[in-house]
Amino acid sequence: MVPRTGTTLTKPAISLREQFEQVRQLSETLCAPLSIEDYVVQSMPDVSPPKWHLAHTTWFFETFLLTPHLKGYEVFHPKFGYLFNSYYEAVGDRHPRIQRGLLTRPTVAEVYQYRAYVDESMRSLLHQIDDAPEIQALITLGLHHEQQHQELLLTDIKHILACNPLRPAYRDNLPEPYEHGTPTQWLKFLGGLHTIGHAENTFAFDFAFDNEAPRHSVYTQDYCLASGPVTNGEYLEFIEASGYQNPKYWLSEGWSTLQNEGWTAPLYWEQIDGNWWNMTLGGLRSLNMHEPVCHVSFFEADAYARWAGKRLPTEAEWEIAAATIPSLKGNLLEQGYLHPTASIAPDFQPYGNVWEWTQSAYLPYPGFKADAGAVGEYNGKFMCNQMVLRGGSCITPQSHIRATYRNFFPTATRWQFSGIRLAQ
Amino acid sequence: MVPRTGTTLTKPAISLREQFEQVRQLSETLCAPLSIEDYVVQSMPDVSPPKWHLAHTTWFFETFLLTPHLKGYEVFHPKFGYLFNSYYEAVGDRHPRIQRGLLTRPTVAEVYQYRAYVDESMRSLLHQIDDAPEIQALITLGLHHEQQHQELLLTDIKHILACNPLRPAYRDNLPEPYEHGTPTQWLKFLGGLHTIGHAENTFAFDFAFDNEAPRHSVYTQDYCLASGPVTNGEYLEFIEASGYQNPKYWLSEGWSTLQNEGWTAPLYWEQIDGNWWNMTLGGLRSLNMHEPVCHVSFFEADAYARWAGKRLPTEAEWEIAAATIPSLKGNLLEQGYLHPTASIAPDFQPYGNVWEWTQSAYLPYPGFKADAGAVGEYNGKFMCNQMVLRGGSCITPQSHIRATYRNFFPTATRWQFSGIRLAQ
Amino acid sequence: MVPRTGTTLTKPAISLREQFEQVRQLSETLCAPLSIEDYVVQSMPDVSPPKWHLAHTTWFFETFLLTPHLKGYEVFHPKFGYLFNSYYEAVGDRHPRIQRGLLTRPTVAEVYQYRAYVDESMRSLLHQIDDAPEIQALITLGLHHEQQHQELLLTDIKHILACNPLRPAYRDNLPEPYEHGTPTQWLKFLGGLHTIGHAENTFAFDFAFDNEAPRHSVYTQDYCLASGPVTNGEYLEFIEASGYQNPKYWLSEGWSTLQNEGWTAPLYWEQIDGNWWNMTLGGLRSLNMHEPVCHVSFFEADAYARWAGKRLPTEAEWEIAAATIPSLKGNLLEQGYLHPTASIAPDFQPYGNVWEWTQSAYLPYPGFKADAGAVGEYNGKFMCNQMVLRGGSCITPQSHIRATYRNFFPTATRWQFSGIRLAQ
Amino acid sequence: MVPRTGTTLTKPAISLREQFEQVRQLSETLCAPLSIEDYVVQSMPDVSPPKWHLAHTTWFFETFLLTPHLKGYEVFHPKFGYLFNSYYEAVGDRHPRIQRGLLTRPTVAEVYQYRAYVDESMRSLLHQIDDAPEIQALITLGLHHEQQHQELLLTDIKHILACNPLRPAYRDNLPEPYEHGTPTQWLKFLGGLHTIGHAENTFAFDFAFDNEAPRHSVYTQDYCLASGPVTNGEYLEFIEASGYQNPKYWLSEGWSTLQNEGWTAPLYWEQIDGNWWNMTLGGLRSLNMHEPVCHVSFFEADAYARWAGKRLPTEAEWEIAAATIPSLKGNLLEQGYLHPTASIAPDFQPYGNVWEWTQSAYLPYPGFKADAGAVGEYNGKFMCNQMVLRGGSCITPQSHIRATYRNFFPTATRWQFSGIRLAQ
């Protein structure tokens, strides 16, 4: 069992069976506020309908666990393998991604029946695998996979509701955010040879994805990181300084993207009668200047940093700094804000609030080997033309994030809870 | 009151109030077999979600009747005017057509509340307008408008269900179709000066749309029409004669459309293990060779006719012939097949089964004047690059069709219940 | 030999051999002002490079005359059939239309060698066919085909030069246009049964294309035509009355085209420092208010007519009126203006200046039969989604136009010399 | 004066004036085999017409040197700044890149006049700047800029000629390539802390682009590089092993690109009657199995490496290895093959033949600063979504390449002379 790198979390007291029940339940809890109609729609190609997420995560267990490992298991429906495979070429043909929002059937009720059927079978399997660490590892992978989809569920629900002219709220009873925050400070970190990455590619208890390994040496120069992320107020200065009108701050592809898409502010900002508003999971709110700016693309993060005379951190710089933090806390899913909040402590807070764009391209670590079999398609095949984000967001489950975690998205992506931490 | 042209239907015994109740009820009855999920989706740009049809037809009454004519009326929701305007430029801004399928809210339940609210107000208005023929005429227009959307509801539901790999049926209990039909005969009609079109543009009892007027003279040569439409079996001969591989049968734009879209058969035909199947509102059925071929584009109808050494009729030829038929009957919505059926009588049957492509472009009749006001956008502004179809289909309400009725669609349209009648 | 319909032109005194030499020479004369670079470019998909026109018209003679009919003929180059076939499916595979502008080879010099080689062979053939009327007819078709391409040469050259920010002139020495014109009058024509179309589909001396036949009866109502086309000054009133901002004047598809394309004036108009300029084959000129408006689409012609409270004529109305004119004259290619000119006579002038959009869709006449063989692809397969234009333009060769001539283009086309004649 | 890193080239014996004459002359010499027509065409968006390259490189000197620094200089033509600016936002508006191929004017002759005018003015300036190192540095930059366009000239000419069905050769008299090569060996390099990059960002004699600086430390593990690039024969094994049909070798975006583009082999390979041919600057040749495979995208290079059980090198690994080579030689432009040739020596040959895709994303080195002013747009703004290539190709001028040189292209690019060197 390999110690988690860069955090000192002790082993969770709960068993794999308990984890399974908790994770599977949470997906359904997150969907509880939805109307049936909300489950069906794909508001853009990157978004999947909520019922698709519920079914796809279930398909993962059916396909990679139950069918090969539970004797006598019969698939719930012969076409669901076609409908709910996301991108696994090795598993066969699949429904086109951009047509996920055209499927009215199976109904939401049938998807929940599918979940119940698979969960019941999984419980049988979980009772048979005490001495089968490979199967335990695959189940753990399936749970982390579902946690990723829990985050996607909320990002996608937000997008679906925000594109509706009625601007409906996902929940009306979210906690009040902080009104004020503490000023950002610059924290200095020494350069030299450091070690980053997860020590071993394992699916067991101390879980990490294959793309976090191998642990390896990197050389950095001395650097400073901001203690907290860039705020809405700070970002608004960039907008008011004509940042979106001046190509000199932008990468060439960023500038053409801005022009083609008509970007003038982060996603979900809108100006009504001269005032800025912000669509949130709690509905349309007046823009809070102390909250971290969110839903910016890499292009915007990079342009802001250049305008501010700073830069984005590399993923190595971020991870080396995060590894100095003794405990993992922050505004994560469990806090229940479902929105970035102003910082009320001056400490360095690498986790939660917003995913932080780095200036590192998403590439294999030296010696990277994708996992064997179909699950090897999980991460490795996306290693080009994306940038790494670090630290988790206000909708990331706490047990899902860690110092070595590498999230990745294309440079124009804005619907994720992505923000900016400056370096220099 | 102007007599209906070309048919001898007597005046319906029912009042406008009764018509209102019947038509409004039918829309909801047609949606009864749907799951909530089915109401939400737009499976291609031409399709609208069923709940959008239900709301849009309601918006028509709210906008053109209640708001201007019912004292003290308050709109149900201030944003619904934006959401449910289809294409009326004169009525203000509107939601983009291709994004109708992204709207999860209002929910289906809220749309039914909207209908109930407007219906109740309409009942009040209907009690106040005995001496207001213009308002009666507008209500009549609204009812015929809703009948058009009843037909669209079924075409769109069929498309939504057919694009689902599960091939779900709209209803499992449709009546059995005929297994055999009677052979087609050629009927001869004499040329010369004839009069076609509706005698007057009126919204009153003897209703016709503005595009059916004025009644006017046309000169035709002698011609023959087939007694019935082309069957699946006849069309299959065209396919098996490599009709879809030979450009000489096709208009140039038809040939390029065929190649771009990959057409090899009518819409909803599929070949499984060498056998032909046909997706219907009753689910996937083995192809019935005696039924009229349906869901073909103008390009396919025209190519088939050229291959067969015939041609399509002009709309004048069709209307002159239909005016010889003493009574309007056929496989229309009320028959309940919801699918074209084989003919069991050798008579000339112009109505029902399939809309019949003509070789006439959809253009204004000599002296055409669009209605005044926003409802003048109903027909006239679409008078280019479309072809006329005549006769109604198996999903057209009987009280909606007549000899002078001009339906129109672009040349590549296939999701309508459109078929082929030959002329020579 | 069938008499020409609607004109009283006497038989030309020149032989087919002389016609051949004149027509072939004219194509080269029209290209004389070009630089080599001008011959190569395809400035939009509808445009073909001038050298392609020169080669394609030559390929027509090589393919349809020399290869089948001149004993011992060897094609100039084995790949030219692939490169210079336009759209004849029956003749085999061809180079994609949109890639015509990518071909730097054959060079312009080689294309002229190709022309010389084919012309020399054609002279041999022309000496052998005195008693072969079918071959004579095919040669006549080839010459009229080349005349069509002469007009396209000039429209395409104009487009190529106009899209160049340097706005180069095709010729600097065009004659001065008239500064003033005579006012338009309304001419009345009686309705009733009339006969239009060309009496016989023949390739012989009294030439007409297959789409002009058969001659047939049509019924019209009384109507008026304007004596001359709408002028730039009249059209400018429409622009200044916000005609391009008001959807009520436009067909639905016209309005969306206008918005997608950003149309605010006819093609080749540009406003510089508040003044209107007009790109012509003579370079950029100040807009002459008395000249006919040119380079408008059907959508613009139709919208202008609706704004003016008039309409466009049908093609039957146009032809019936034109047939009343004893002699064919007008501002045609031979006048040398290469641009529409103000009218200095109040007479009805149907020919020349601008092609006149009609409200008639381009459809087969009753009893139409396309010519047999590959040349049957000439006209018939384009009979959908286009509108008829009549009368020729300032770049149409005089011997090419006649009362029955049916030109046709899609409703959004603007690069042709197309204008507006009003009817009511 | 900063010593060149990783090579031991002595200072060239020629002055800046001589360099200017030589570089400017070479561009024209490279165009000598072209017909006028070849100068005009843009065969895809990435390609520029040869005359555009000739004018753009001239515009660079006019804009950045003559206008600001030569007293009394008048621009050759007021519109050329608009026409021949490539992407410098700071210099004002510009002609759209994708429309470069629509410009028939200025003619080729006028472009050569432009070059002569600017060259004459530059000679004046070159006589005045002996004590102006900044201006000397800018001229040096302009010359290296022109060298880059010399390489682009040949890649673009190749593409223009190759897309022509006649497959014309650029030159018929290229030297015969080698028929056989030596086998590849694996060369081992030790890991540890190394230093890469150019020591200082300078425009002076020892020239490097800003993106090659700063020189900085990197940590590598032990690694092996192949002594030579992958050959056509080796790559053909990948094709014959169904490499283009099996998604498991491909990055996800690579697989979808392959499917969308229909890739089945490298660009310029074609199979005729079962035999493989290769379009070259010398025309169509039978595929030589011993030559390096060329015109592959990053996706293909990466897939081949995965299939072979190897990987691509990082740019650091490449540069550390190249720095061990005492002298810079290889199949570069001056050798005159204009095509990759088989290796006849077993030595490690990092330079020439084909640009070698690395697995390194094109990102700023630690501490990177773009040059000040408009020329700062040269490199930095392209630092996302591209991969680094190293070593130059058979069409790179020898004085243009060095160990620290970072070329970069998007992952789907194939028209460059790009190939594969394996690492492990």
Side-chain angles (χ1 to χ4, degrees), chain C residues 40-49 53 96-102 152 155-161 163 261 263 267-268 295 409-410 412-416, chain D residues 98-99 101-103:
Chain C
V40 181
V41 162
Q42 179 172 31
S43 51
M44 66 161 176
D46 284 339
V47 163
S48 294
H53 286 295
R97 176 173 185 144
I98 57 164
Q99 296 178 15
R100 288 178 187 166
L102 305 188
L152 287 171
T155 51
D156 291 358
I157 289 167
K158 183 170 183 176
H159 194 272
I160 289 166
L161 297 176
C163 80
E261 302 292 328
W263 289 350
L267 184 63
Y268 301 138
H295 298 296
F409 279 99
T413 302
R414 312 211 305 170
W415 102 113
Q416 291 296 304
Chain D
I98 57 163
Q99 297 178 14
L102 306 187
L103 300 177

Side-chain angles (χ1 to χ4, degrees), chain A residues 326-341:
Chain A
S327 68
L328 193 162
K329 61 184 177 183
N331 176 14
L332 293 151
L333 177 63
E334 286 77 1
Q335 269 62 39
Y337 289 106
L338 308 187
H339 194 70
T341 57

Side-chain angles (χ1 to χ4, degrees), chain D residues 28 72 177 182 215 242 266 269 271 329 343 375 390 392:
Chain D
E28 304 190 6
T182 50
R215 193 159 170 80
S242 300
W269 286 32
Q271 217 169 3
K329 60 183 178 184
S343 283
V375 295
R390 293 296 194 116

Side-chain angles (χ1 to χ4, degrees), chain B residues 262-310:
Chain B
W263 290 349
T264 57
L267 184 62
Y268 301 138
W269 287 30
E270 54 189 300
Q271 217 169 4
I272 303 174
D273 298 334
N275 299 311
W276 283 103
W277 294 78
N278 196 8
M279 180 65 182
T280 75
L281 284 166
L284 201 59
R285 293 185 189 160
S286 181
L287 188 70
N288 178 327
M289 295 303 166
H290 300 282
E291 289 173 0
V293 67
C294 191
H295 299 294
V296 292
S297 64
F298 171 79
F299 291 131
E300 288 160 300
D302 176 78
Y304 176 83
R306 191 168 293 117
W307 172 78
K310 312 298 182 201

Side-chain angles (χ1 to χ4, degrees), chain C residues 90-154:
Chain C
V91 182
D93 210 8
R94 62 187 185 276
H95 191 66
R97 176 173 185 144
I98 57 164
Q99 296 178 15
R100 288 178 187 166
L102 305 188
L103 299 178
T104 64
R105 318 289 180 90
T107 63
V108 172
E110 288 162 346
V111 166
Y112 279 111
Q113 289 163 15
Y114 179 39
R115 289 184 69 88
Y117 176 84
V118 163
D119 284 354
E120 198 53 38
S121 300
M122 280 298 297
R123 286 178 195 114
S124 302
L125 184 66
L126 279 159
H127 276 89
Q128 304 169 9
I129 57 167
D130 282 346
D131 51 357
E134 300 80 6
I135 296 178
Q136 290 175 330
L138 263 175
I139 295 174
T140 302
L141 177 64
L143 294 176
H144 281 268
H145 171 257
E146 182 140 356
Q147 286 185 312
Q148 290 185 309
H149 280 277
Q150 287 165 357
E151 180 153 357
L152 287 171
L153 262 173
L154 289 172

